[in-house]
Amino acid sequence: MPAGRPTDDGLTPMDDATTDQHAATDAGRLWGGRFTAGPDEAAWALGVSTAFDRHLWRQDLAGSRAHVHELHRIGVLEDDERDRLLAALERCGELFAADAFVFLDTDEDVHGAIERWLVEELGPLGGKLRAGRSRNDQIASDLRLWCRDACDEVVGLIGWLQQAFVDQAEAHLGWHAPGYTHLQRGQPVLLSHHLLAYVWMLDRDAGRFRDARHRLNASTLASGALAGQTLGLDPQAYADHLGFDTVAENSMDAVASRDFALEVLSAAAICAVTLSRLGEEIVLWATAEFAFARVGDAFSTGSSIMPQKRNPDIAELVRGKTGRVIGDLVGLLTTIKALPLTYDRDLQEDKEPVFDAIATLRLTLPAITGTVASLTFDRQRLAAASVGGFALATDLAEELVTRGVPFREAHEIVGEVVRLAERRGVDLDGLDADELAAIHPALDATVAERFDPQQAIDRRDGVNGTATTSVAAQLERARAAAAANRGSMGQ
């Protein structure tokens, strides 16, 4: 029980001013010498963070190993002490890895828990490790290391989702599909072109995680509580040991700033929105009204009352999870918005939103990847929809432009053609040559060539267009992008 909680007889241990310093400092918290009483039970319950910061054990132990080497370099630790501490940190890591590390009620955070365990293992030697460092620079370092690994992992997961799109685009190259604006049919495209659009959206998502990783990859150790330290510890040595690209330029900024966590959360929120848009399209395309795609059995569910139902629940859940990731970003932005320099205890709230957002992406990315891979498409229905709704009207207007008609006028002329087709209950190719010529002399019999959807697609042969040749080339670039992101998981 943390010191200072009332006992059965109503007295509070350590109320006596003569209580010794050791009793005033619980084994699992890193402060208390100047206090004669420990925290109130409610205060302790609010402040304790082991329930979530225990996830940082790998990073905390890595920082501790780097610190052992620096303490040895400056002479605080003898050779034997260094070796004993490193061996103990190794044993501690094995306990964590086996989920066998025992947290005590008196452990305030993961840093205090590990130090308490070291003291139990090594006696006074375990207490030497705290020299020259603060929880402030420790937690900033731990969270940066954790975010760095998380960025690599998420980029890799994005790469696998990109690969699922690449595989589908390659398998369906040449299939026609409707392109939409305002959820209204606009122009015919290749289905592969539509699918590859998500590859590039996801590539930017991956890029945001890479950018965040680059900026957060600076070491904060040897910043101390806020002003640095006096023992001669080398900040660059920590950076080298932990694989940081550089050292934070300012010790106050190092311990106070969490913009790196906000960047990771921003990247996560934007990525979640991409997944939500994808989930929405899968839901729409799987409806009987669209019926463009069918979700595989492994990524569909049924109804508890309607036996016929086939629901795209995974896509819906991915869409639904977006709200919590956006909330994680907004929550941390709100926490940080009014904090004076340097460290404030409010920053204890920095970890849970980051952990939650990354955990959500770890959950949703593989699920939506499997969903995309499971999709089967209805070629005939897609092809029929690709030319429905007068989808070739723009091609007709642009043909008139090539015949010398200003586009402003061509737009109006084709509008008249569409109105006539609507009255007749036909599409553009259902009008005869006389009817077209009556609207404008430039609409002669040869304009019928513009009503071929394949020609309409292949005329759009710019580097970013939907022409078959353009999409085939795009497919190669998409394959390379997916491979590059998948490789990030091995960093």
Side-chain angles (χ1 to χ4, degrees), residues 54 95-96 99-104 107 113 116-117 120:
R54 65 179 64 198
L95 287 175
F96 273 108
D99 198 24
F101 184 91
V102 177
F103 283 90
L104 304 182
D107 292 334
R116 182 262 307 160
W117 183 90
E120 291 172 357

mmCIF file of all heavy atoms in Angstrom, residues 54 95-96 99-104 107 113 116-117 120:
data_model
loop_
_atom_site.group_PDB
_atom_site.id
_atom_site.type_symbol
_atom_site.label_atom_id
_atom_site.label_comp_id
_atom_site.label_asym_id
_atom_site.label_seq_id
_atom_site.Cartn_x
_atom_site.Cartn_y
_atom_site.Cartn_z
ATOM 1 N N ARG A 54 3.657 0.450 -18.739
ATOM 2 C CA ARG A 54 4.399 -0.810 -18.761
ATOM 3 C C ARG A 54 4.697 -1.252 -20.192
ATOM 4 O O ARG A 54 5.617 -2.044 -20.418
ATOM 5 C CB ARG A 54 3.629 -1.904 -18.030
ATOM 6 C CG ARG A 54 2.307 -2.307 -18.681
ATOM 7 C CD ARG A 54 1.616 -3.423 -17.906
ATOM 8 N NE ARG A 54 1.237 -3.017 -16.568
ATOM 9 C CZ ARG A 54 0.936 -3.870 -15.583
ATOM 10 N NH1 ARG A 54 0.965 -5.176 -15.807
ATOM 11 N NH2 ARG A 54 0.604 -3.420 -14.390
ATOM 12 N N LEU A 95 12.071 -11.289 -17.891
ATOM 13 C CA LEU A 95 10.839 -11.367 -17.101
ATOM 14 C C LEU A 95 9.688 -10.669 -17.836
ATOM 15 O O LEU A 95 8.582 -11.202 -17.929
ATOM 16 C CB LEU A 95 11.048 -10.737 -15.727
ATOM 17 C CG LEU A 95 11.904 -11.519 -14.734
ATOM 18 C CD1 LEU A 95 12.118 -10.701 -13.461
ATOM 19 C CD2 LEU A 95 11.247 -12.858 -14.388
ATOM 20 N N PHE A 96 9.958 -9.467 -18.350
ATOM 21 C CA PHE A 96 8.918 -8.749 -19.088
ATOM 22 C C PHE A 96 8.481 -9.544 -20.312
ATOM 23 O O PHE A 96 7.284 -9.663 -20.600
ATOM 24 C CB PHE A 96 9.424 -7.373 -19.516
ATOM 25 C CG PHE A 96 9.228 -6.295 -18.480
ATOM 26 C CD1 PHE A 96 10.304 -5.782 -17.772
ATOM 27 C CD2 PHE A 96 7.967 -5.784 -18.234
ATOM 28 C CE1 PHE A 96 10.125 -4.771 -16.831
ATOM 29 C CE2 PHE A 96 7.768 -4.780 -17.291
ATOM 30 C CZ PHE A 96 8.855 -4.279 -16.585
ATOM 31 N N ASP A 99 6.142 -12.124 -19.574
ATOM 32 C CA ASP A 99 4.989 -11.609 -18.828
ATOM 33 C C ASP A 99 5.044 -12.070 -17.373
ATOM 34 O O ASP A 99 4.023 -12.373 -16.757
ATOM 35 C CB ASP A 99 3.672 -12.062 -19.473
ATOM 36 C CG ASP A 99 2.491 -11.220 -19.019
ATOM 37 O OD1 ASP A 99 2.709 -10.067 -18.601
ATOM 38 O OD2 ASP A 99 1.350 -11.721 -19.071
ATOM 39 N N ALA A 100 6.271 -12.103 -16.841
ATOM 40 C CA ALA A 100 6.471 -12.585 -15.474
ATOM 41 C C ALA A 100 6.986 -11.494 -14.546
ATOM 42 O O ALA A 100 7.246 -11.773 -13.372
ATOM 43 C CB ALA A 100 7.452 -13.767 -15.484
ATOM 44 N N PHE A 101 7.144 -10.268 -15.041
ATOM 45 C CA PHE A 101 7.576 -9.183 -14.166
ATOM 46 C C PHE A 101 6.398 -8.810 -13.264
ATOM 47 O O PHE A 101 5.289 -8.558 -13.756
ATOM 48 C CB PHE A 101 8.014 -7.968 -14.972
ATOM 49 C CG PHE A 101 8.564 -6.847 -14.123
ATOM 50 C CD1 PHE A 101 9.914 -6.774 -13.848
ATOM 51 C CD2 PHE A 101 7.721 -5.878 -13.601
ATOM 52 C CE1 PHE A 101 10.428 -5.743 -13.067
ATOM 53 C CE2 PHE A 101 8.214 -4.846 -12.809
ATOM 54 C CZ PHE A 101 9.579 -4.777 -12.545
ATOM 55 N N VAL A 102 6.628 -8.764 -11.985
ATOM 56 C CA VAL A 102 5.563 -8.498 -11.019
ATOM 57 C C VAL A 102 5.582 -7.021 -10.634
ATOM 58 O O VAL A 102 6.554 -6.523 -10.062
ATOM 59 C CB VAL A 102 5.724 -9.370 -9.762
ATOM 60 C CG1 VAL A 102 4.635 -9.028 -8.741
ATOM 61 C CG2 VAL A 102 5.682 -10.852 -10.132
ATOM 62 N N PHE A 103 4.513 -6.329 -10.977
ATOM 63 C CA PHE A 103 4.341 -4.951 -10.525
ATOM 64 C C PHE A 103 3.724 -4.964 -9.130
ATOM 65 O O PHE A 103 2.822 -5.754 -8.846
ATOM 66 C CB PHE A 103 3.437 -4.177 -11.483
ATOM 67 C CG PHE A 103 4.111 -3.762 -12.751
ATOM 68 C CD1 PHE A 103 4.087 -4.592 -13.862
ATOM 69 C CD2 PHE A 103 4.778 -2.553 -12.830
ATOM 70 C CE1 PHE A 103 4.702 -4.212 -15.048
ATOM 71 C CE2 PHE A 103 5.404 -2.159 -14.011
ATOM 72 C CZ PHE A 103 5.373 -2.999 -15.112
ATOM 73 N N LEU A 104 4.196 -4.078 -8.281
ATOM 74 C CA LEU A 104 3.660 -3.938 -6.934
ATOM 75 C C LEU A 104 2.710 -2.745 -6.865
ATOM 76 O O LEU A 104 2.772 -1.831 -7.694
ATOM 77 C CB LEU A 104 4.806 -3.748 -5.932
ATOM 78 C CG LEU A 104 5.898 -4.824 -5.915
ATOM 79 C CD1 LEU A 104 6.929 -4.513 -4.833
ATOM 80 C CD2 LEU A 104 5.293 -6.210 -5.715
ATOM 81 N N ASP A 107 4.397 0.579 -7.009
ATOM 82 C CA ASP A 107 5.084 1.039 -8.216
ATOM 83 C C ASP A 107 4.271 2.149 -8.865
ATOM 84 O O ASP A 107 3.122 1.939 -9.272
ATOM 85 C CB ASP A 107 5.262 -0.112 -9.209
ATOM 86 C CG ASP A 107 6.226 -1.166 -8.724
ATOM 87 O OD1 ASP A 107 7.116 -0.826 -7.913
ATOM 88 O OD2 ASP A 107 6.102 -2.333 -9.157
ATOM 89 N N ALA A 113 9.224 1.023 -11.158
ATOM 90 C CA ALA A 113 9.124 -0.428 -10.984
ATOM 91 C C ALA A 113 10.433 -1.119 -11.323
ATOM 92 O O ALA A 113 10.890 -2.022 -10.615
ATOM 93 C CB ALA A 113 7.996 -0.974 -11.848
ATOM 94 N N ARG A 116 13.027 -0.244 -8.673
ATOM 95 C CA ARG A 116 12.734 -1.008 -7.445
ATOM 96 C C ARG A 116 13.193 -2.452 -7.596
ATOM 97 O O ARG A 116 13.804 -3.036 -6.695
ATOM 98 C CB ARG A 116 11.234 -0.931 -7.178
ATOM 99 C CG ARG A 116 10.764 -1.631 -5.910
ATOM 100 C CD ARG A 116 10.201 -3.015 -6.176
ATOM 101 N NE ARG A 116 9.170 -3.011 -7.197
ATOM 102 C CZ ARG A 116 8.823 -4.097 -7.866
ATOM 103 N NH1 ARG A 116 9.434 -5.262 -7.660
ATOM 104 N NH2 ARG A 116 7.870 -4.037 -8.794
ATOM 105 N N TRP A 117 12.941 -3.052 -8.745
ATOM 106 C CA TRP A 117 13.363 -4.435 -8.984
ATOM 107 C C TRP A 117 14.883 -4.540 -8.971
ATOM 108 O O TRP A 117 15.447 -5.500 -8.406
ATOM 109 C CB TRP A 117 12.807 -4.905 -10.332
ATOM 110 C CG TRP A 117 13.105 -6.340 -10.648
ATOM 111 C CD1 TRP A 117 12.345 -7.428 -10.338
ATOM 112 C CD2 TRP A 117 14.257 -6.839 -11.347
ATOM 113 N NE1 TRP A 117 12.946 -8.579 -10.785
ATOM 114 C CE2 TRP A 117 14.119 -8.254 -11.412
ATOM 115 C CE3 TRP A 117 15.378 -6.259 -11.912
ATOM 116 C CZ2 TRP A 117 15.073 -9.061 -12.021
ATOM 117 C CZ3 TRP A 117 16.330 -7.047 -12.521
ATOM 118 C CH2 TRP A 117 16.177 -8.438 -12.574
ATOM 119 N N GLU A 120 16.096 -4.514 -5.477
ATOM 120 C CA GLU A 120 15.845 -5.822 -4.861
ATOM 121 C C GLU A 120 16.874 -6.854 -5.318
ATOM 122 O O GLU A 120 17.302 -7.708 -4.538
ATOM 123 C CB GLU A 120 14.440 -6.311 -5.229
ATOM 124 C CG GLU A 120 13.318 -5.512 -4.587
ATOM 125 C CD GLU A 120 11.952 -5.914 -5.126
ATOM 126 O OE1 GLU A 120 11.903 -6.770 -6.040
ATOM 127 O OE2 GLU A 120 10.935 -5.378 -4.646
#
